[in-house]
Amino acid sequence: MIDVLVVDDDFRVAEINAKYVGKVPGFRVAARAHSAAQALAAVERGAIDLVLLDHYLPDRTGLELVHRMREQGHGTDVIMITAASDVTTVQRAMRLGALHYLVKPFTFAALRSRLDSYAALRRTVDRVGGRGLTGQEQVDRIFGALRTAPAPSAPGLPSGHSEPTTDLICGVLHGSDEPLSAHEVAALTGLSRSTAQRYLRHLEQAGRLRLSLKYGDTGRPEHRYAWVAP
C-alpha cells in the first residue's frame, strides 16, 4: 500500500480528498494535516510515501513546506493540489520536485489519473532498479510512467454543462456524510452558487441526487442534496 498524507487547511476539503484517495486501489490515507507544521511533523514521524499538498496554508505556503522538507533531507514525494495556478508557483513546484500539479477545482477522475501514474512510476522504478539496468531506455520508462491520459467525457449532458464540473459536484456529494446545500457545494468546489444550483437541479432530476427540504426560522425551506448510490 502507498501511504498518503492529505494536507489542506479546509477540514471538509481534506476529508473529501481523503475519501477520494481511499477509493483508489493501492492507496490509503495515513494522516491528515491542516497546517504546514502538522504536515512536517507527520513526515518526520515517517511512513509517508506521498503528500497531497495544498499551497495556501495558515502558517506557511505549501512550497515553503516542500523546501523545508528537502532541507531536512526528506525525499517524500509530493503532488500539489491547490487553487494556485500562476506560472511562478507552478515553476517553483517543478523545481522543488513536485511530481504532479492538480489545480482546484478538480474531479475524482483527474486525481485518480495522477495517483495511478504515481503508482506506475513506483512500479517502474522498482522493476528497473531491481535489475540494475541503466541507459536511455530505462530512463525513458521512468519518466514515461508519470504521463497521464485525459479522462473521457460522457455524452448526454444538457447544453452548457460539462462532464468535469458534473464529476466534481458528484464527487463532493459522494464524499459527504450529510446532505449539502447549493451554497455549501459552491464553497467546496469553487463554483458560483448559481452554477452549483444549476448542476444540482439537473442531477436531482436525473435521479443521481436526492432532494430534501430543511426548514429554518425564516419559513423558507433550504434545498439540500444527497448522493444516491447506484
Side-chain angles (χ1 to χ4, degrees):
M1 296 293 289
I2 295 173
D3 289 312
V4 179
L5 169 64
V6 176
V7 184
D8 199 293
D9 66 323
D10 189 312
F11 283 72
R12 296 196 66 177
V13 172
E15 180 65 21
I16 290 171
N17 290 348
K19 288 185 177 180
Y20 277 174
V21 172
K23 292 168 63 177
V24 181
F27 290 83
R28 65 187 174 194
V29 176
R32 299 175 182 81
H34 309 291
S35 69
Q38 291 177 357
L40 184 59
V43 170
E44 289 175 340
R45 287 194 295 269
I48 300 294
D49 299 307
L50 175 65
V51 181
L52 299 185
L53 181 60
D54 188 16
H55 182 58
Y56 299 117
L57 299 174
D59 46 354
R60 65 173 68 186
T61 68
L63 293 185
E64 288 172 342
L65 170 61
V66 178
H67 182 69
R68 181 63 174 162
M69 288 167 52
R70 302 307 183 232
E71 282 186 331
Q72 295 186 357
H74 300 296
T76 311
D77 293 322
V78 174
I79 293 178
M80 298 298 298
I81 298 183
T82 176
S85 57
D86 59 285
V87 174
T88 300
T89 303
V90 174
Q91 286 181 328
R92 190 169 176 223
M94 293 172 63
R95 289 165 182 159
L96 287 171
L99 297 179
H100 278 299
Y101 197 107
L102 191 57
V103 178
K104 297 178 180 177
F106 59 91
T107 66
F108 168 67
L111 177 59
R112 175 164 187 168
S113 72
R114 272 69 177 180
L115 294 180
D116 285 342
S117 72
Y118 174 72
L121 171 66
R122 288 173 62 96
R123 290 193 299 268
T124 301
V125 170
D126 289 343
R127 184 167 59 250
V128 171
R131 294 201 296 255
L133 299 176
T134 58
Q136 189 63 53
E137 181 181 354
Q138 286 70 41
V139 172
D140 289 344
R141 287 180 187 175
I142 293 172
F143 276 85
L146 280 175
R147 296 181 186 136
T148 59
S153 59
L157 288 175
S159 176
H161 286 63
S162 72
E163 186 66 22
T165 303
T166 301
D167 287 345
L168 177 64
I169 291 177
C170 287
V172 167
L173 269 298
H174 185 268
S176 177
D177 294 327
E178 59 184 6
L180 300 176
S181 66
H183 176 76
E184 291 169 327
V185 171
L188 288 169
T189 59
L191 300 169
S192 69
R193 187 183 183 281
S194 60
T195 298
Q197 182 65 62
R198 179 160 50 90
Y199 277 80
L200 289 168
R201 187 180 301 112
H202 164 69
L203 291 168
E204 187 268 329
Q205 292 173 350
R208 299 175 69 179
L209 300 179
R210 181 178 66 254
L211 172 64
S212 61
L213 301 179
K214 180 180 179 181
Y215 291 87
D217 297 333
T218 62
R220 183 177 180 180
E222 179 184 51
H223 290 200
R224 301 184 68 82
Y225 298 86
W227 179 256
V228 176

